[in-house]
Amino acid sequence: MIGLARLSILATSALLAGCATSGTLDVSDPKAGFTAVAGRTTSVTGQQPVWIQSNAEAQATADKIRSLVRGKTIDADLAVKVALLNNKGLQAAYADIGTSAAELWQESLPVNPSFGIGVTGIDPVRVIESAVVTNIMSAITRRRRMAVADARFRQAQLVAAEATLRLAADTRRAWINAVASNEALGYLYKAQQTADAASELAKKLGETGAFPKTAQAREHVLYAELAGQSASARLEARNAREALNRAMGLWGADIDYKLPGSLSKLPARGADKRAIEAEALRNRVDLEIARLELEALAQSYGLTKATRYVSDVNLLAGVEVERETEEAEEEGTSPKTKTEVLPVIDLEFTIPIFDTGQARMRQSEMAYMRAANLLAERAVNIRSEARQAHNARQATYDIARHYRNSVVPLRTAIAEQATLTYNGMITNTFELLADTRARTDSLLQSVNAKRDFWLADAALATAVYGGGGVPAEAGGGEATPAAVSAGGGH
């Protein structure tokens, strides 16, 4: 009976442990861990993410999205805001935080004892056995298991933060591509109108015999090529807009929004990052995830080491009730019934004859060494990615500024002078059109250069804070094969 009383106390403790907390955080809270994710990502993206868990929250968010996008002109920051509110894939990533919190909560609870009862024998002798079995090893290793689950929980928060940063970066890139495609399409429309006028003029001059057929064909084919180029640009603009719709999670009437006609102007100066590698090593979310993976494996290694020889010890406690009916000693008297109650305490464990845990120890060691090497590799790659992103931003800034300050103004001056000489009957019509087409080509190259700069600018942010690799087209760079320490920088 004493054993049953003790187990009753254990069961009460297990019930109370349902409100257990990890540090100062209540892991039974449905949104446990999300505050850390929001704090980590809001400072980088400038937008507040939301974890939707009820129909009321979903309806309120849908109303907010509707008021933000329908008929409105969307800039890059607003596109990121809508994506963080409305992207369902991001909500799925947030659900993983809840799963990890529930696992930590579960590990904080002692293992439920099992109860068994059996009846043996037949009258007049009958034995009733009842027992409660609890796993002692589970109680002994509870703190280690909670440490592993806590590391996994913190890791899940960082994974969700990385998913948030990745979505923000993807949305910003999709917005840049969509706006740049629209801007390029506008220039092509203007060039096509010019080519259309030249083609019509060449046709009329050809009918009078004042324009050779070769020159006529040259103008006609230019118009045809520009028509095909415009169609391709129109398709590219539509695809870019659909990519932006996917990132923002929009469909139906909500995709009825507007985009600016052109990208933002170049900043006054390029980035000046003297300690870009140290900054990336200090802020990259994926590096922290790798560190936590190493910590979790170290905790798992300790748990395996503690349970190497004895992995399962069960305490069995209960009572045995034996009832026996004796025959009557004298005729005419009633038989006597004898009942005996005996406490039962037993201990069960596995004898490690064949499995001494060496294989599990080796497996844990190899997993730890694998994670340690991956962490070192990640640190090397982060340094390289930071340098590559910084170089790409500097290079694309210089190229875009060159088109803005040199190429486009020269082409514009040539086109203006051609107009003046045309008005003075010095230049013919087709020379004027040729100069106009050359200016259009320079403007298209200028748009592409400006787009590449803003893409490189977004890639620099992901290289410093995480949320995506450096795009291959963002610029050159070389990987460093030597392994370096995970911490520090220069």
Side-chain angles (χ1 to χ4, degrees), residues 133-166:
V133 182
T134 184
N135 192 304
I136 296 178
M137 286 302 295
S138 175
I140 294 175
T141 61
R142 178 167 171 259
R143 179 171 295 180
R144 290 182 182 272
R145 289 187 289 105
M146 285 184 62
V148 175
D150 184 67
R152 295 298 183 192
F153 176 53
R154 286 181 283 136
Q155 194 177 29
Q157 294 176 56
L158 289 175
V159 171
E162 187 184 33
T164 305
L165 295 177
R166 181 182 297 108

Side-chain angles (χ1 to χ4, degrees), residues 65-84:
I65 295 298
R66 193 174 302 115
S67 64
L68 287 175
V69 299
R70 286 192 180 181
K72 305 293 179 59
T73 300
I74 295 181
D75 60 14
D77 292 335
L78 180 56
V80 172
K81 181 177 183 177
V82 172
L84 297 188

Side-chain angles (χ1 to χ4, degrees), residues 77-386:
D77 292 335
L78 180 56
V80 172
K81 181 177 183 177
V82 172
L84 297 188
L85 290 174
N86 199 43
N87 189 281
K88 303 306 179 188
L90 186 61
Q91 294 298 316
Y94 291 161
D96 292 338
I97 304 176
T99 302
S100 183
E103 291 175 354
L104 176 57
W105 184 11
Q106 184 66 47
E107 291 295 344
S108 69
L109 304 175
V111 176
N112 289 326
S114 58
F115 179 77
I117 187 170
V119 179
T120 59
I122 57 174
D123 290 334
V125 179
R126 175 172 294 181
V127 178
I128 301 175
E129 295 178 339
S130 63
V132 177
V133 182
T134 184
N135 192 304
I136 296 178
M137 286 302 295
S138 175
I140 294 175
T141 61
R142 178 167 171 259
R143 179 171 295 180
R144 290 182 182 272
R145 289 187 289 105
M146 285 184 62
V148 175
D150 184 67
R152 295 298 183 192
F153 176 53
R154 286 181 283 136
Q155 194 177 29
Q157 294 176 56
L158 289 175
V159 171
E162 187 184 33
T164 305
L165 295 177
R166 181 182 297 108
L167 177 63
D170 290 345
T171 305
R172 192 172 293 276
R173 282 194 288 266
W175 183 89
I176 292 170
N177 286 324
V179 175
S181 298
N182 282 340
E183 189 175 359
L185 185 60
Y187 285 127
L188 282 173
Y189 276 145
K190 292 178 181 178
Q192 191 178 359
Q193 291 173 357
T194 303
D196 185 23
S199 179
E200 186 65 24
L201 180 59
K203 179 181 178 182
K204 291 182 178 179
L205 290 176
E207 290 173 352
T208 62
F211 204 60
K213 290 186 176 180
T214 304
Q216 293 180 50
R218 190 177 294 116
E219 298 303 325
H220 294 328
V221 75
L222 175 63
Y223 172 75
E225 288 174 349
L226 279 175
Q229 194 174 352
S230 297
S232 298
R234 189 162 47 251
L235 176 61
E236 183 179 350
R238 290 175 179 173
N239 290 339
R241 189 181 177 95
E242 288 302 328
L244 181 59
N245 290 337
R246 288 195 294 273
M248 294 192 294
L250 298 180
W251 62 282
D254 289 342
I255 64 174
D256 185 21
Y257 59 84
K258 301 175 184 176
L259 291 174
S262 62
L263 292 172
S264 302
K265 296 181 179 178
L266 295 176
R269 294 186 302 175
D272 185 15
K273 300 285 186 181
R274 298 184 181 276
I276 189 71
E277 294 181 41
E279 188 175 357
L281 289 174
R282 187 169 54 250
N283 295 305
R284 281 286 289 260
V285 177
D286 52 341
L287 188 62
E288 290 190 44
I289 293 173
R291 285 173 177 157
L292 279 177
E293 176 67 21
L294 197 63
E295 179 184 336
L297 288 174
Q299 297 286 354
S300 300
Y301 178 77
L303 181 62
T304 304
K305 193 174 182 180
T307 60
R308 175 181 176 182
Y309 295 105
V310 181
S311 60
D312 198 12
V313 178
N314 293 323
L315 175 65
L316 184 148
V319 294
E320 179 181 293
V321 181
E322 184 176 356
R323 184 178 182 182
E324 182 178 357
T325 302
E326 298 178 351
E327 295 181 356
E329 296 179 354
E330 298 179 0
E331 187 176 355
T333 59
S334 301
K336 295 181 179 179
T337 300
K338 181 181 179 183
T339 302
E340 187 176 8
V341 179
L342 296 175
V344 177
I345 297 179
D346 198 359
L347 194 64
E348 297 177 350
F349 60 92
T350 303
I351 301 175
I353 297 177
F354 304 106
D355 182 8
T356 58
Q358 291 183 347
R360 285 184 283 120
M361 289 290 293
R362 176 63 62 86
Q363 188 179 15
S364 297
E365 289 174 1
M366 291 299 105
Y368 184 85
M369 290 178 60
R370 180 179 183 274
N373 283 289
L374 288 178
L375 175 62
E377 182 192 32
R378 187 96 289 271
V380 173
N381 292 344
I382 285 174
R383 288 175 180 270
S384 175
E385 290 170 4

